Amino acid sequence: MSRIWLCSLILTVGVPAWAESYPYAVTILNDSVVRCGAGDAYYATEQVTAGDTLEVYRKEFGGWLAVRPPADSFSWVREQSLKMTSEAGIAEVTQDRAMAWIGSTLEQPVRSHSQVRLKLGEFVEVVGEERRVAPSTGATELWYRIAPPAGEFRWIHERDVRRQESPETAGVESVLVRATGFHNANLDKRA
């Protein structure tokens, strides 16, 4: 009877309930970059350092994790799409479905990527501005650097991180190892 109970415990723990619960925290294993999309073909946006913590919101095909943008992350919005408010550093979106282009602290992308369209009347935090030359017209335009809007992610591959144990799952593996004498490899697949 105890073997049946132990086998059912192993099967239950083999696919832990927390495996699909989001968000969860991960620790960066080695200095890495986060990207603007789920793949190596997308441009790098920020450097993350071994030991840093990121928050994961979903997992895509190929092991790419959607994470909350790191502290130095930003996006770009054209001046025509925003109106500064009386509150310092806050702007209101003046065009429905205005594009927010993902910025990079590491490179000047040839073609910027966008994940989010801003809603008319939405408020964003402005963290800087820059005059940029429009590739299509050659005209100089004012662009606002904003904090990443809601729903915008950065991406890192699961090979570059380790899932942090939550208090409710800490110690489950050690109980199994003591009870069975073997290590459950499924518990190593934390994402």
Side-chain angles (χ1 to χ4, degrees):
M1 186 63 144
S2 65
R3 286 185 181 180
I4 293 172
W5 175 83
L6 190 55
C7 286
S8 67
L9 176 64
I10 291 169
L11 289 174
T12 302
V13 174
V15 182
W18 50 262
E20 295 301 322
S21 70
Y22 296 97
Y24 62 85
V26 293
T27 302
I28 305 300
L29 296 174
N30 300 299
D31 292 355
S32 306
V33 294
V34 292
R35 298 185 175 278
C36 68
D40 286 321
Y42 290 93
Y43 59 89
T45 60
E46 289 88 27
Q47 177 82 32
V48 288
T49 306
D52 286 353
T53 299
L54 294 174
E55 202 169 33
V56 176
Y57 283 82
R58 74 174 190 257
K59 181 178 177 180
E60 293 293 318
F61 178 77
W64 288 93
L65 306 174
V67 298
R68 178 186 303 273
D72 292 338
S73 300
F74 64 92
S75 295
W76 291 105
V77 178
R78 297 173 106 163
E79 174 190 30
Q80 304 90 295
S81 300
L82 298 179
K83 176 180 72 177
M84 296 304 294
T85 67
S86 59
E87 188 176 342
I90 303 296
E92 183 177 357
V93 177
T94 59
Q95 296 177 343
D96 197 33
R97 300 185 45 78
M99 300 293 283
W101 300 96
I102 298 174
S104 173
T105 61
L106 302 176
E107 58 185 271
Q108 180 64 44
V110 174
R111 185 176 169 107
S112 292
H113 184 70
S114 177
Q115 293 174 10
V116 172
R117 288 185 178 256
L118 304 172
K119 296 177 186 158
L120 178 66
E122 183 177 348
F123 292 95
V124 294
E125 179 186 0
V126 175
V127 295
E129 61 182 58
E130 183 178 303
R131 294 217 168 265
R132 305 174 84 188
V133 176
S136 58
T137 64
T140 302
E141 303 174 323
L142 180 63
W143 286 74
Y144 288 109
R145 184 186 289 222
I146 65 166
E152 190 176 274
F153 298 109
R154 300 299 184 267
W155 300 84
I156 193 163
H157 198 275
E158 65 185 350
R159 70 179 165 257
D160 297 321
V161 301
R162 183 184 70 247
R163 185 174 180 147
Q164 294 179 358
E165 288 188 27
S166 65
E168 58 273 0
T169 61
V172 170
E173 181 179 12
S174 61
V175 169
L176 281 176
V177 171
R178 283 195 309 271
T180 65
F182 81 79
H183 175 78
N184 186 344
N186 285 334
L187 290 174
D188 287 337
K189 299 174 185 168
R190 303 270 188 220

